[in-house]
C-alpha cells in the first residue's frame, strides 16, 4: 500500500510541477538559496517520449474498439503525455538548491534530499561516466543519481549518512552522493562563496 500511495503522490507532484512550469515559478528558492539547474540535456528525450505517446494514442484511435474504449484510450494517451511533460517540467521548476544552510539535491518529483552544510565534508566537480550495465542507483553507501545518461559531474561527501527516499517509498542510507548539474563549476563556486558568507 505504501508503494501505491507513493506512486500517486509522485503523479500529483508531477502535475503540480507542470502547473509551476506554466506559471514560470520555481520551488524551494528563498533567502540566499541559489538554483542549480540540471535538466537541459534531457529536453530532447522528453519530447521524443511525448511524440511516441501521441502517435500511440492516435493509432489506437484508428482501431475501432467501440466508443467507450476509444475515449478511454484517448484520455489515457493525453494523460501520459501530460505526465511526460510534467516530469520534464519538474526538472526545471525543482532544480538543485545551494544555500548557506543546506545543499538540496532533487530530480523532478522523484527525489528531494536535503543535506545540512554541517554534514558536508566536500562538494567537488568530478566528471564521471558510469557503465549502464553495472551502475546501480544505490551501492556501497553511494547514491548515483544517473538521470543524465549515466553521467555525473558533482560529488558530495558526508560526515554522517543521510536517508534518501526512493520514488516508491523505500529508503537508503548514503554517505556519498554523485549527481549532475548543467554548470558544475558554477555550483561549486556558489557552495564555496556561501560557505565563506556564513563564517
Amino acid at each position: 500500500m505504501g508503494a501505491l500511495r507513493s506512486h500517486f503522490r509522485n503523479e500529483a507532484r508531477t502535475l503540480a510541477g507542470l502547473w509551476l512550469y506554466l506559471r514560470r515559478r520555481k520551488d524551494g528558492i528563498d533567502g540566499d538559496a541559489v538554483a542549480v539547474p540540471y535538466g537541459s540535456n534531457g529536453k530532447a528525450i522528453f519530447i521524443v517520449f511525448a511524440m511516441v505517446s501521441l502517435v500511440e494514442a492516435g493509432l489506437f484511435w484508428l482501431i475501432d474498439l467501440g466508443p467507450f474504449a476509444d475515449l478511454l484510450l484517448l484520455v489515457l494517451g493525453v494523460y501520459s503525455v501530460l505526465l511526460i511533460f510534467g516530469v520534464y517540467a519538474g526538472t526545471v521548476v525543482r532544480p538543485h538548491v545551494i544555500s548557506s544552510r543546506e545543499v538540496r539535491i532533487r530530480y523532478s518529483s522523484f527525489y528531494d534530499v536535503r543535506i545540512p552544510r554541517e554534514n558536508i565534508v566536500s562538494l567537488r566537480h568530478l566528471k564521471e561516466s558510469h557503465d549502464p550495465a553495472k551502475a546501480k542507483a544505490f551501492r556501497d553507501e553511494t547514491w548515483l543519481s544517473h538521470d543524465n545518461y549515466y553521467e555525473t559531474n558533482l560529488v558530495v561527501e558526508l560526515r554522517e549518512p543521510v536517508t534518501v527516499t526512493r520514488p516508491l517509498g523505500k529508503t537508503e542510507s548514503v554517505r556519498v552522493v554523485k549527481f549532475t548539474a548543467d554548470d558544475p563549476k558554477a555550483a561549486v563556486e556558489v557552495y564555496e562563496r556561501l560557505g565563506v558568507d556564513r563564517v
Side-chain angles (χ1 to χ4, degrees):
M1 192 64 179
L4 190 60
R5 190 182 310 116
S6 296
H7 172 77
F8 286 119
R9 183 200 65 215
N10 288 338
E11 284 199 8
R13 282 174 51 84
T14 297
L15 294 175
L18 186 57
W19 176 243
L20 286 173
Y21 182 79
L22 293 173
R23 294 174 61 204
R24 299 180 184 273
R25 308 275 301 269
K26 283 191 168 49
D27 174 58
I29 313 298
D30 56 2
D32 64 356
V34 177
V36 179
Y38 58 84
S40 65
N41 292 338
K43 186 175 183 179
I45 196 71
F46 285 112
I47 291 172
V48 169
F49 283 146
M51 294 307 295
V52 168
S53 290
L54 282 174
V55 168
E56 183 180 53
L59 289 175
F60 277 120
W61 186 260
L62 293 174
I63 301 171
D64 187 16
L65 300 172
F68 177 76
D70 287 345
L71 182 61
L72 179 63
L73 290 171
L74 179 63
V75 169
L76 290 174
V78 170
Y79 185 66
S80 67
V81 171
L82 282 176
L83 286 179
I84 290 167
F85 278 120
V87 172
Y88 167 71
T91 66
V92 176
V93 303
R94 295 187 183 100
H96 305 310
V97 179
I98 297 176
S99 72
S100 59
R101 303 174 307 281
E102 66 183 3
V103 172
R104 191 172 178 184
I105 301 167
R106 306 194 278 188
Y107 182 73
S108 193
S109 60
F110 304 111
Y111 287 102
D112 189 349
V113 179
R114 303 176 100 128
I115 306 171
R117 288 188 72 115
E118 295 78 16
N119 193 25
I120 297 175
V121 175
S122 68
L123 184 153
R124 67 184 191 280
H125 174 214
L126 177 64
K127 187 170 182 178
E128 294 181 288
S129 293
H130 307 278
D131 182 352
K134 297 177 182 176
K136 291 186 177 178
F138 298 92
R139 175 184 281 172
D140 301 328
E141 292 195 312
T142 296
W143 172 30
L144 175 63
S145 181
H146 50 34
D147 306 299
N148 190 30
Y149 307 106
Y150 294 92
E151 290 188 354
T152 57
N153 54 29
L154 288 167
V155 178
V156 178
E157 294 185 15
L158 310 177
R159 288 186 172 83
E160 299 292 334
V162 295
T163 300
V164 176
T165 303
R166 290 182 180 232
L168 294 182
K170 186 179 176 184
T171 59
E172 303 283 351
S173 182
V174 300
R175 284 182 181 270
V176 177
V177 179
K178 297 182 178 183
F179 64 108
T180 300
D182 291 348
D183 189 344
K185 291 181 180 177
V188 172
E189 287 172 6
V190 167
Y191 174 78
E192 291 174 349
R193 174 174 57 78
L194 290 176
V196 169
D197 291 348
R198 294 175 71 231
V199 178

